[in-house]
Amino acid sequence: MGAPPLLVVFHGLEGSSSSHYSEAFAGIARSQGWAFAVPHFRGCSGELNLAPRAYHSGDFAEIDWLLRRFADQHAGPVVAVGISLGGNALMRWAAELGAEARQVVAGIASVCSPLDLAASAWAIGRGFNRQVYTRMFLKTMVPKALKKLDQYPGLFDLETLLAARDLCEFDDVFTAPLHGFKDAKDYWARASAKPHLHQVAVPALALNALNDPFVPAASLPQAADVSSYVTLWQPAQGGHVGFPSSSSLWANFPGHVRAMPEAVSAFLAAQL
């Protein structure tokens, strides 16, 4: 009997192995006898990384290093799921590698991912999202950036960072310049996976709810935007990484937090 599959989950913005979706996928993997891993993006493990950089939505080079390391060290097949930010980076990686991705993974999935980063930045910077979620993200992102400035004095302008009130302003002063982008708009344009989905050549699922407050329905990819390897699931309900089983798409799934992870894992299992 061969080695079991390895399920790798890439977390979302400011997420970790303790995020509810990470724990839900861990439960699914355990029930199926799969190996499981949640690599932390730089600075998200509780320990500040040492390099003069952090992590970002289009960091396909980081995804590539991690997945190849898992594939080298695990005897069985590897499948991967990316949640929100992690899903855009994962899809961006698959598009960058094309057919070569099949040498590393058997299948991938993105869940509630902002595949059009500019559209999602606009959505999260407005109304209720701005008042609640933008503040929530900045509450942890700004202190991390300040610690990075302590490590590397002069890395960015302190006063501009402290004046940031939304993700656009934060990305302008921190995320974009630290990772080789001109500004936030350049970062969003070059890091977004949507323009590259036609290059994906490994079985891939892109799951997005049409009522996701962070990902406008009008920005979601359609059949003409993707290759034949990409399956689009776009249920009417689900919010951002929610997917209550009472909605019509999930009516046949158990009524608990694992409904969405079970459906995604079933897609990946079919690719093994």
Side-chain angles (χ1 to χ4, degrees):
M1 184 175 179
L6 167 63
L7 172 59
V8 179
V9 171
F10 293 101
H11 62 76
L13 182 64
E14 295 300 273
S16 71
S17 58
S18 298
S19 297
H20 71 279
Y21 50 77
S22 299
E23 295 180 346
F25 273 104
I28 295 298
R30 186 182 304 113
S31 68
Q32 297 185 154
W34 291 5
F36 181 75
V38 181
H40 288 97
F41 290 123
R42 298 173 190 244
C44 292
S45 67
E47 181 177 341
L48 193 64
N49 65 297
L50 300 180
R53 56 157 296 173
Y55 68 103
H56 65 86
S57 298
D59 201 349
F60 59 82
E62 195 89 316
I63 297 288
D64 187 60
W65 188 90
L66 288 163
L67 285 178
R68 289 182 187 274
R69 190 173 180 87
F70 282 124
D72 287 343
Q73 296 187 357
H74 185 72
V78 176
V79 292
V81 177
I83 308 297
S84 197
L85 172 150
N88 181 78
L90 180 60
M91 286 292 194
R92 188 71 181 79
W93 167 80
E96 190 74 15
L97 263 69
E100 188 181 345
R102 294 200 296 272
Q103 300 174 18
V104 184
V105 296
I108 63 173
S110 65
V111 177
C112 299
S113 297
L115 302 172
D116 180 336
L117 291 168
S120 290
W122 175 86
I124 202 171
R126 292 172 57 86
F128 179 83
N129 287 343
R130 182 185 179 93
Q131 296 303 315
V132 177
Y133 296 111
T134 295
R135 289 182 178 181
M136 177 186 73
F137 288 132
L138 291 179
K139 186 176 181 180
T140 58
M141 294 165 67
V142 170
K144 286 183 182 179
L146 294 177
K147 291 180 180 178
K148 189 60 62 180
L149 192 60
D150 288 339
Q151 285 179 311
Y152 295 93
L155 189 61
F156 56 84
D157 184 72
L158 173 62
E159 296 304 319
T160 304
L161 179 87
L162 294 177
R165 292 295 178 266
D166 57 32
L167 295 185
C168 177
E169 293 174 353
F170 181 88
D171 285 346
D172 254 337
V173 66
F174 184 81
T175 312
L178 261 66
H179 301 105
F181 302 101
K182 179 181 177 182
D183 53 24
K185 290 184 178 180
D186 180 50
Y187 159 47
W188 299 338
R190 291 167 55 192
S192 293
K194 182 180 175 180
H196 307 279
L197 293 177
H198 64 281
Q199 299 170 206
V200 174
V202 65
L205 169 67
L207 171 56
N208 293 90
L210 296 179
N211 69 339
D212 188 328
F214 298 167
V215 184
S219 73
L220 294 177
Q222 301 303 310
D225 301 315
V226 305
S227 75
S228 60
Y229 288 89
V230 179
T231 298
L232 300 175
W233 286 0
Q234 297 176 357
Q237 305 296 322
H240 194 70
V241 202
F243 299 100
S245 57
S246 59
S247 68
S248 59
L249 180 66
W250 310 102
N252 295 324
F253 291 95
H256 49 62
V257 70
R258 298 203 309 177
M260 179 273 288
E262 283 181 346
V264 173
S265 298
F267 171 87
L268 294 174
Q271 315 310 319
L272 297 172

